[in-house]
Amino acid sequence: WAELTDMLFKVERPITKAMEEGREIHKEIENHVISYNAFPNWLFSGGLVLPKTEEKVIMKYNELFDISGIFDCVDLATQTLYEFKTGTQKATDWARTHQIPIYFMLSERMGKPLEKAFLIHYNQHTKTKDWVVIHNHSDIVKKAENYVDTFGNEIMLFLQNNELIDL
């Protein structure tokens, strides 16, 4: 819970070498997409039609809390999300997290539904890459809503019980 409260209250945490490398690679990808409407060749092939990078979204979820996310790259013309990951954890591992389902849920609730997401992983240590595609459907969005409803309420109770917030 300590890590969660630090995140919620925006307590700065030490930046590791791996985090710094990931940020630098991420910025390089973003700059390339902005300049060329395409991904760097070392990362992923294929052009983009109408890309928007680093879109921060904050949405009221219910009467208790908002949900936010930062979409690494969305191609508005193709309704495709691209999420970039670095390090040693493979794309298939990242695909099992709740991030993409929550982003699908956010996009639908904003009236900008996404058809699919490419989760693109680059291992800067071995200079290798892998990726997975995740297609959006109602079961994925329901999974995200269930996750947020369950853990969102647990988080709120924890914060109240520890007198970190007052509702």
Side-chain angles (χ1 to χ4, degrees):
W1 289 102
E3 185 178 340
L4 172 67
T5 54
D6 286 352
M7 182 186 70
L8 291 172
F9 293 107
K10 302 194 186 309
V11 174
E12 288 200 34
R13 57 185 174 161
I15 305 297
T16 65
K17 182 179 185 230
M19 290 168 67
E20 188 60 38
E21 287 174 350
R23 288 178 179 176
E24 289 171 8
I25 292 166
H26 202 276
K27 192 67 177 167
E28 182 180 342
I29 296 166
E30 178 187 7
N31 289 339
H32 196 278
V33 167
I34 290 168
S35 298
Y36 302 104
N37 271 11
F39 298 108
N41 290 334
W42 54 265
L43 179 70
F44 194 70
S45 62
L48 299 161
V49 180
L50 192 57
K52 186 171 184 180
T53 60
E54 297 303 309
E55 181 180 11
K56 183 168 185 172
V57 174
I58 301 173
M59 181 196 75
K60 183 160 189 63
Y61 184 76
N62 59 27
E63 65 280 350
L64 295 176
F65 56 87
D66 299 342
I67 296 182
S68 65
I70 301 174
F71 297 0
D72 290 346
C73 180
V74 175
D75 192 327
L76 301 170
T78 62
Q79 296 178 298
T80 303
L81 169 67
Y82 299 90
E83 278 297 313
F84 314 121
K85 302 295 181 189
T86 57
T88 57
Q89 193 171 345
K90 296 199 172 290
T92 52
D93 296 327
W94 285 106
R96 291 185 195 98
T97 70
H98 295 283
Q99 181 183 14
I100 300 299
I102 289 172
Y103 282 8
F104 283 158
M105 179 189 71
L106 279 169
S107 67
E108 285 193 14
R109 288 181 175 224
M110 293 179 337
K112 299 176 185 178
L114 297 166
E115 285 187 22
K116 63 186 173 270
F118 284 88
L119 205 151
I120 306 165
H121 164 253
Y122 178 72
N123 184 328
Q124 68 269 30
H125 310 291
T126 61
K127 307 290 188 232
T128 57
K129 60 188 174 184
D130 62 307
W131 55 271
V132 296
V133 63
I134 303 164
H135 294 274
N136 191 3
H137 57 80
S138 60
D139 289 346
I140 287 180
V141 173
K142 285 178 189 168
K143 174 185 171 183
E145 290 170 339
N146 184 55
Y147 180 79
V148 171
D149 289 341
T150 300
F151 290 102
N153 289 325
E154 285 184 26
I155 291 166
M156 293 303 291
L157 284 172
F158 171 82
L159 295 172
Q160 284 179 303
N161 292 340
N162 288 279
E163 299 179 354
L164 296 169
I165 61 169
D166 184 30
L167 294 179

